[in-house]
Amino acid sequence: MEEVVSEAFIRLKKRLPDAQITVQVPDNFLMIPMDAILIEQVLINLLENAVLHSGSQRPIACSVESQPDYVCFHVRDYGIGIAPDKRKTLFDGTPYTGNTSPDSSKGMGIGLSLVTSVCPDLILLNLGLPDMDGIDIIRQIRTWASIPIIVISARTQEQEKVLATDSGADDYITKPFGPPELMARIRTALRHGNRLNTGSLLALRPYQADGLVIDFEKHLITLDGTDIHLTQVEYKIVSLLAQNSGRVITYDSIISNVWGPYANDNNRILRVNMANIRRKLEKNPAEPHYIFTEIGIGYRMLEDTPERS
C-alpha cells in the first residue's frame, strides 16, 4: 500500500511540480488484494482535481486510514467547494472551476483525463462537445495513441466525415442508429485494432505459440488449454507484445501504451507487472520461454507461429 501512495505522489509531482501536498501514512498497513495500478490512478485523479480546482493556497492533505478489514484514502482541499447548483453538471464537458469569466480556460471534462490514464480499448466520441470540438480531441489523442476511435455524431455532411477520418478517427456513425449497428462497428474497430502487427497482411486471428493462445477479440488467454487469468493491466501488456511478436518493444513504448502519456518513465512498475505475468505464463520465470528481456531496451514476445490448416 505504501508503494501505491508513493508512486501516485511521484507521478503527480512530475505532472504538477508546483503542487503542495502533505501525506500522512500509518506505520502498519492492512495487506489486501487489489489492482494496485487502478487504485494508484484513482488516487492521482483525486489529488489532481484537488490541486487544479480547489482555488486555495493551502496544501492538499492526503492521508490513509487503516481499518480492520479495509483501507480508506482521504484527500482534502481547503477550497470553496462546489456550489449546489453546479453539482448536477459536475461531469459535463466543462468541469466546474469557480471561474466564470469569458477569458477562463475551457475544459474537456473527465473523458480525456481518463483516456490518458486508463488507455481504454476503444473510444466512442461525440463531436458536439460543449467547449471543445471532437476533432481537436481526436488530433490530441493521435499524438500519442492509436486507440480505435468511433465518432458518433448528428453531423451528416460528407466534409465532416472526411475531416474526422483524416484527423484520425477509425469509423463514423451518424445519428440515429440502432444498438446492433453500433455493436457491429465496435466489433470491427476492435478487430482492426487487435490485428497482429507483423508487417504482413495477416487476417485477424489469435496469437499462437507453443501452446499459448491469445484471443484478442474475446480477451481470453489459454496455456495448453488452461485459462490464464490476468489483470487488466497485465492483459494489455501481454496483448501489446503479442500483437508485435518477434519485435522488441521498448520500455517507454509499453508504458505509454498501457499507462498513458503522462506516466512516470521509471519502469519499476512495469517490471513488477512483468514478474507477475511470468509467474502465470512461464514454467520457470527465471528462464522465460514466451517473453524475453532485452537488457536496457525492452521486451520481446516469442514469435507467433499459427497452426496451418
Side-chain angles (χ1 to χ4, degrees):
M1 188 68 71
E2 186 175 2
E3 289 187 0
V4 171
V5 177
S6 175
E7 187 67 22
F9 184 77
I10 292 172
R11 289 178 60 186
L12 184 67
K13 290 294 287 185
K14 183 178 179 180
R15 295 164 60 172
L16 300 170
D18 297 329
Q20 298 184 43
I21 302 173
T22 63
V23 180
Q24 292 184 338
V25 177
D27 294 333
N28 297 318
F29 272 120
L30 176 69
M31 301 300 294
I32 57 174
M34 65 174 181
D35 191 325
I37 305 302
L38 293 181
I39 297 298
E40 180 182 309
Q41 290 170 351
V42 170
L43 187 56
I44 290 173
N45 289 342
L46 290 173
L47 289 168
E48 184 177 33
N49 286 337
V51 171
L52 294 178
H53 305 307
S54 69
S56 173
Q57 299 301 315
R58 297 179 62 181
I60 305 301
C62 176
S63 61
V64 183
E65 178 185 0
S66 181
Q67 297 294 330
D69 55 354
Y70 66 91
V71 169
C72 183
F73 292 91
H74 299 275
V75 175
R76 181 181 181 184
D77 65 66
Y78 298 90
I80 60 175
I82 301 174
D85 62 323
K86 298 292 185 180
R87 292 172 186 170
K88 292 184 179 179
T89 59
L90 180 61
F91 296 102
D92 286 355
T94 308
Y96 175 65
T97 62
N99 185 355
T100 58
S101 68
D103 296 330
S104 61
S105 60
K106 295 182 178 181
M108 293 167 284
I110 62 172
L112 192 56
S113 176
L114 289 173
V115 171
T116 58
S117 61
V118 178
C119 293
D121 296 317
L122 180 138
I123 298 170
L124 299 179
L125 177 65
N126 192 334
L127 293 183
L129 302 176
D131 283 330
M132 185 176 186
D133 191 80
I135 298 297
D136 294 328
I137 291 182
I138 295 173
R139 289 169 177 162
Q140 186 166 342
I141 292 173
R142 283 294 176 256
T143 62
W144 63 271
S146 58
I147 302 169
I149 300 175
I150 299 178
V151 169
I152 297 176
S153 179
R155 304 176 189 177
T156 58
Q157 295 85 355
E158 182 179 0
Q159 59 267 31
E160 294 283 356
K161 299 179 181 180
V162 172
L163 179 60
T165 52
D166 283 348
S167 298
D170 296 272
D171 200 355
Y172 193 110
I173 182 171
T174 55
K175 303 174 183 178
F177 55 85
E181 180 183 1
L182 177 60
M183 293 305 300
R185 300 288 188 99
I186 290 175
R187 288 192 294 269
T188 299
L190 289 175
R191 282 199 298 269
H192 291 171
N194 287 333
R195 191 178 299 277
L196 292 175
N197 299 319
T198 57
S200 62
L201 300 177
L202 291 173
L204 174 71
R205 52 170 174 73
Y207 166 93
Q208 300 178 58
D210 290 358
L212 178 64
V213 179
I214 303 174
D215 190 321
F216 303 111
E217 187 171 5
K218 296 180 180 179
H219 281 215
L220 294 178
I221 299 180
T222 59
L223 181 59
D224 295 329
T226 301
D227 290 344
I228 302 296
H229 301 286
L230 302 181
T231 67
Q232 181 183 12
V233 169
E234 291 168 356
Y235 176 81
K236 286 186 175 183
I237 294 171
V238 171
S239 62
L240 175 64
L241 292 172
Q243 290 163 20
N244 295 273
S245 65
R247 299 179 179 180
V248 178
I249 307 300
T250 65
Y251 299 129
D252 288 346
S253 179
I254 297 173
I255 290 171
S256 178
N257 276 276
V258 175
W259 285 282
Y262 302 113
N264 192 334
D265 56 6
N266 184 332
N267 61 24
R268 181 188 63 81
I269 198 168
L270 174 58
R271 295 198 305 270
V272 170
N273 278 275
M274 183 55 66
N276 292 333
I277 290 169
R278 282 174 168 158
R279 279 195 291 268
K280 297 175 182 180
L281 293 184
E282 306 285 359
K283 291 182 179 179
N284 181 4
E287 299 179 359
H289 177 71
Y290 295 107
I291 302 178
F292 308 98
T293 300
E294 301 294 340
I295 303 298
I297 303 175
Y299 296 105
R300 175 173 55 86
M301 191 92 169
L302 180 66
E303 190 163 0
D304 173 63
T305 54
E307 296 180 358
R308 303 293 182 183
S309 57

